[in-house]
Amino acid sequence: MNNAVRSVLVFLFDLLAVVVAWLGGMWIRFNFELPGHYSQKLWLGLGALLVVHAIACRWAGLYRGMWVFASLPDLKRVLRAVGVSAAALVVLMAVDRLPGPVIPRSMIVLYPLLLLLVMGGGRAAWRMWKEHRLFGSLRAEGKPVVVVGAGTGGAMLVRELERSPDWRVVALVDDDPAKWGLELYGVPIAGPVESLPQVLQDVKAQHVILAMPSAAAATLKRAADVAVAAGARVFTVPGIEDLMSGKVAISAMRPVEIEDLLGREPVQIDSEHLHEMIGGKTVLITGAGGSIGSELCRQLARFAPARLVLVEASELALYTIEQWFGVHCPDTPIVPLAGDVKDAARLEEIFATWKPQLVFHAAAYKHVPLMEVGNAWQAVRNNVLGTLLVAAHAQRHGAERFVLISTDKAVNPTSVMGATKRLAEMVCEALHSAGQGGTRIEMVRFGNVLGSTGSVIPKFAEQIARGGPVTVTHPDINRYFMSIPEAAQLVLQAAAMGQGGEIFVLDMGEPVKIVDLARNMIRLSGYTEDQIRIEFSGLRPGEKLYEELLADAEQTRETPHPKLRIARSRPVAAGFLDELAQWLAQPGPVADEQVRAALQRWVPEYEPARH
C-alpha cells in the first residue's frame, strides 16, 4: 500500500471518528434513544463538524506520522485536532438560531472525549496489533537478557529492544527499593543489583546489559563486577554525552571491556588552556608510533596545531600512524620522519628544519624483562642518551616546552628499565637547572596503560584466544592501570600547567591484582576458569610485586587538577651531566653487570631484583 492510499484511508478514519463521536455523544445524552425532533440539528451539526475537523486534521499534521510507530508527538497532533473540533462545536452552539431544540450542553464534554477516544485509541490499537504481528514472534526467539538500571536509560533500552529480533528483556534489577516488584513496560523489576546472580538463574538468562548511561564510574564498575562474577556475558550502553548529542542510540551496545572494570572516572581537562598552549604551534613527538606516542598525536590533533612532526624509529609504526591521520584527521598537517633519538645528526636536522615549539619525548625501551638480559646497555643508550639528546636539542633550538614521558618503575627501581627512566628524569632536572634557552622541561610519571604494546592485556587476550593457560607471574603481584587516552590527556594537562623542573605524578587510582585482571578477562571472553586455567610462572628478571608512584624520600604537592600531583625528588649533584656524558660516550658494548653497577652509582635507590 503506497503512502497516498494510506493517507486517504487514515483521513477517512478520522472523519468516521467525528461521526461516531457526534452520534455516540447524542445517543449517550438521551439514554440511547435519539428523539426524532433532533434529526435536523443532528445532521446539520455533523456536516459542519466534518468540514471543520477535516481542516483541523490537515492543520495539525496528523498524516505525517506512521501509525505503527504512533507515539506522544502523534497524540499531541490528535489533541490539537480534537481541540479545534471542540471549539467549533462551542461556536456552533453559540450561533445556533435555527428553530427547534438546542444542542445539549453536555455535548461540549461528550463529543471531544469520544472523538479523542476513537482517534487516539484507534492509533494505539493499530500499533499494538502491528507490533505483535511484526515483532511478537521475533521477541519470543530473542536471547533472554537482564537489564541493570530501571531509570530513564533502562526504559529507553527496553522500548528499543522490544523490536529487536536478537534480544528479549526478561527482568530488570535496580538499587532503588521503591522500584522492586514493579514493572517497566511489562518487564518485572526483580530486585537490587546484588541479586543479579539469582535473577539470572531464575530467568535462565546468560546476558546482562548495563543501562546506566549517566551513572558514576564506580557504580558501573560494581554492577559489572557482579555480572562478570555471575558468569554472564555483559554489555553496556553508550555514555550520556553521546546519547544527548545524538551521536548514537541507546541500543548501540558494546561488550563490557576490561577498562570498564577499573571504575575510573572520565578525565576532565582544561581545553581552553590546552588550545592556548598547542593551537597554531609546531609539535614534535618522539616515539610517535608507539602506544602512548600515537595516542598523544591523536589528542594533540584536537587542539589545531600548525603541524605535528612525528619521529619514529619503526617504519611500520610510522606508516601506521601516518595512515591513521590520512583517514581520521586529513586536515591536520603531519610530517612523518624516520629517526632514532640516539642519532644526534638526525635530530639536529629535524630541529633545525622544523623548529618545534613543543616536544613530547615518548620514545623509550620499556619492556622490563627484555632489558635485563643482553640489552642493558641498549636500554641506557635509548632511554638516557636519547632523552639527553632530544632535550638538549629542544633547548638549543628554543622550544617552549619539553615533556618526558616517565614511569612508576623509576621509583625505587629494581630493573634496568626503571633505573634508566629515573636517570632520564635526572637528566631533565639537570638540564632545567642549567636553564639554557628558556625551555620549560617537565616530566610526567604514570603506571601501566591498558592495551599498550607488550602489556599484560594483549598477552592475556592472545593466551585466551589460544585456549589458555593464562600465565601470571605471582598470585600477589599488582599494578596501577589507566587507559591510554586517559594517560595521554593527563600528559597534555600536566604539560600545560608546568613551570619547568616538575615531576608530575598521575593519580592511578587503586592498584589492581594481576590475577584478578586475568580472571575478569577470562570471564569477559565467555569462559570459566575451568575452561581457561591460570598458571603462575614466577617473577621475571627485574620485576617486583608492588610498584609505587613516589619514592620514599619524595613528597608531593597538589595542583589545580585533582588527578595530578607534583613530586619533589632529591636534587641532582653538581657536575652530574658532565660525568654522565663521559659514561654515555664510551663505544661499548658494556656488559649487563657493569651497566647495573654504574646505574647503582648514578641512582642510589636502584636495587637490582634477584629471584
Side-chain angles (χ1 to χ4, degrees):
M1 188 186 300
N2 60 40
N3 290 335
V5 174
R6 186 182 292 109
S7 294
V8 169
L9 291 177
V10 175
F11 178 65
L12 292 175
F13 172 82
D14 288 338
L15 293 184
L16 178 63
V18 174
V19 176
V20 172
W22 178 248
L23 296 179
M26 286 288 195
W27 198 37
I28 292 171
R29 165 63 181 82
F30 292 105
N31 296 321
F32 309 108
E33 292 182 8
L34 282 174
H37 60 282
Y38 260 95
S39 59
Q40 183 184 17
K41 289 286 178 73
L42 194 67
W43 300 114
L44 285 174
L46 179 60
L49 289 175
L50 282 171
V51 173
V52 171
H53 192 69
I55 297 170
C57 287
R58 287 289 176 185
W59 167 78
L62 270 173
Y63 310 114
R64 298 175 194 158
M66 297 172 63
W67 274 33
V68 70
F69 298 119
S71 57
L72 282 176
D74 300 283
L75 180 60
K76 290 177 182 176
R77 296 187 186 106
V78 169
L79 286 171
R80 282 199 292 267
V82 169
V84 172
S85 200
L89 174 59
V90 173
V91 172
L92 183 64
M93 292 171 66
V95 301
D96 179 18
R97 295 292 182 269
L98 294 175
V102 297
I103 299 172
R105 285 175 294 181
S106 58
M107 287 298 289
I108 297 175
V109 176
L110 290 171
Y111 171 70
L113 281 178
L114 289 172
L115 185 59
L116 178 62
L117 179 65
V118 175
M119 291 179 68
R123 283 165 167 79
W126 178 263
R127 173 173 176 171
M128 290 169 64
W129 179 73
K130 290 290 285 185
E131 281 200 351
H132 175 75
R133 192 176 133 196
L134 290 174
F135 307 120
S137 60
L138 293 177
R139 280 199 298 268
E141 296 173 2
K143 293 188 288 287
V145 62
V146 176
V147 172
V148 178
T152 303
M156 292 169 62
L157 182 64
V158 172
R159 291 295 294 157
E160 287 284 335
L161 295 186
E162 279 187 344
R163 303 185 185 91
S164 169
D166 301 319
W167 302 102
R168 176 166 51 93
V169 181
V170 292
L172 297 102
V173 294
D174 194 285
D175 280 336
D176 184 356
K179 297 176 182 176
W180 300 346
L182 302 179
E183 291 187 353
L184 185 64
Y185 295 117
V187 180
I189 302 172
V193 174
E194 277 69 20
S195 68
L196 189 56
Q198 185 62 47
V199 172
L200 288 167
Q201 185 177 339
D202 292 343
V203 298
K204 295 180 172 55
Q206 297 179 336
H207 296 81
V208 171
I209 302 175
L210 307 181
M212 300 181 289
S214 59
T219 303
L220 286 171
K221 177 186 182 304
R222 182 175 65 86
D225 283 341
V226 172
V228 170
R233 299 296 301 272
V234 191
F235 298 81
T236 186
V237 299
I240 191 66
E241 296 83 4
D242 291 335
L243 292 175
M244 295 298 290
S245 66
K247 291 180 184 176
V248 292
I250 188 77
S251 56
M253 298 173 294
R254 63 169 177 81
V256 162
E257 297 169 350
I258 197 68
E259 288 90 338
D260 299 306
L261 300 182
L262 288 182
R264 297 185 65 83
E265 295 288 347
V267 174
Q268 303 296 327
I269 59 175
D270 184 356
S271 296
E272 183 178 347
H273 200 177
L274 289 175
H275 269 293
E276 193 177 304
M277 179 183 78
I278 299 166
K281 295 180 181 176
T282 297
V283 185
L284 184 147
I285 307 97
T286 68
S291 305
I292 297 298
S294 60
E295 183 62 29
L296 272 173
C297 295
R298 287 187 278 269
Q299 297 289 344
L300 285 162
R302 297 167 47 200
F303 301 100
R307 68 182 59 83
L308 296 178
V309 181
L310 315 179
V311 179
E312 174 58 59
S314 165
E315 180 188 32
L316 176 60
L318 185 63
Y319 170 78
T320 301
I321 189 64
E322 181 207 26
Q323 293 297 300
W324 185 92
F325 271 96
V327 173
H328 297 94
C329 292
D331 297 331
T332 301
I334 63 168
V335 183
L337 299 175
D340 190 329
V341 293
K342 302 186 294 294
D343 186 343
R346 178 60 166 157
L347 289 176
E348 179 61 31
E349 176 191 6
I350 292 171
F351 275 85
T353 302
W354 298 105
K355 301 288 184 188
Q357 290 137 302
L358 304 173
V359 178
F360 291 89
H361 181 47
Y365 286 153
K366 63 179 186 177
H367 198 275
V368 170
L370 277 181
M371 296 302 107
E372 286 297 309
V373 182
N375 297 307
W377 181 239
Q378 294 308 311
V380 169
R381 286 179 50 76
N382 199 61
N383 295 354
V384 182
L385 177 61
T387 300
L388 175 60
L389 291 175
V390 176
H393 279 84
Q395 282 187 321
R396 188 157 55 250
H397 290 274
E400 295 174 10
R401 295 177 188 269
F402 171 90
V403 182
L404 168 68
I405 309 302
S406 190
T407 171
D408 58 355
K409 294 174 179 62
V411 183
N412 294 328
T414 60
S415 65
V416 168
M417 192 281 272
T420 59
K421 291 299 284 184
R422 174 59 194 139
L423 201 51
E425 291 179 353
M426 294 167 64
V427 166
C428 291
E429 291 174 294
L431 287 172
H432 174 75
S433 298
Q436 298 176 5
T439 302
R440 295 181 182 181
I441 297 179
E442 303 149 19
M443 295 137 278
V444 183
R445 183 190 288 169
F446 53 86
N448 301 276
V449 288
L450 288 168
S452 64
T453 307
S455 70
V456 296
I457 304 300
K459 177 186 173 185
F460 287 170
E462 182 182 344
Q463 290 175 334
I464 292 168
R466 291 201 313 262
V470 173
T471 56
V472 177
T473 56
H474 193 282
D476 295 327
I477 193 169
N478 67 21
R479 291 292 182 265
Y480 293 93
F481 285 99
M482 65 168 48
S483 69
I484 295 177
E486 182 182 4
Q489 290 171 28
L490 288 174
V491 166
L492 295 183
Q493 185 68 71
M497 67 173 58
Q499 300 302 309
E502 304 99 335
I503 299 177
F504 286 93
V505 181
L506 306 192
D507 172 18
M508 298 295 296
E510 295 298 319
V512 177
K513 292 188 73 169
I514 301 300
V515 69
D516 291 340
L517 195 69
R519 289 190 181 110
N520 283 331
M521 286 194 66
I522 290 169
R523 291 167 181 165
L524 287 176
S525 301
Y527 298 102
T528 66
E529 288 180 56
D530 293 331
Q531 296 169 308
I532 305 286
R533 72 181 191 280
I534 295 174
E535 288 185 355
F536 297 103
S537 57
L539 291 175
R540 299 170 298 175
E543 198 170 43
K544 55 184 177 180
L545 280 178
Y546 311 103
E547 289 179 345
E548 312 126 278
L549 292 179
L550 296 173
D552 295 337
E554 290 174 332
Q555 296 178 343
T556 63
R557 57 187 172 90
E558 294 181 346
T559 72
H561 196 284
K563 289 198 173 186
L564 291 170
R565 297 184 68 85
I566 296 174
R568 286 184 291 225
S569 61
R570 58 178 172 77
V572 178
F576 162 76
L577 278 179
D578 292 336
E579 293 181 36
L580 181 67
Q582 291 178 7
W583 182 54
L584 294 173
Q586 59 184 308
V590 180
D592 292 347
E593 289 307 317
Q594 290 178 291
V595 170
R596 289 190 183 90
L599 286 174
Q600 283 182 287
R601 181 164 60 89
W602 298 113
V603 184
E605 61 268 31
Y606 167 46
E607 287 289 339
R610 288 176 172 81
H611 304 309

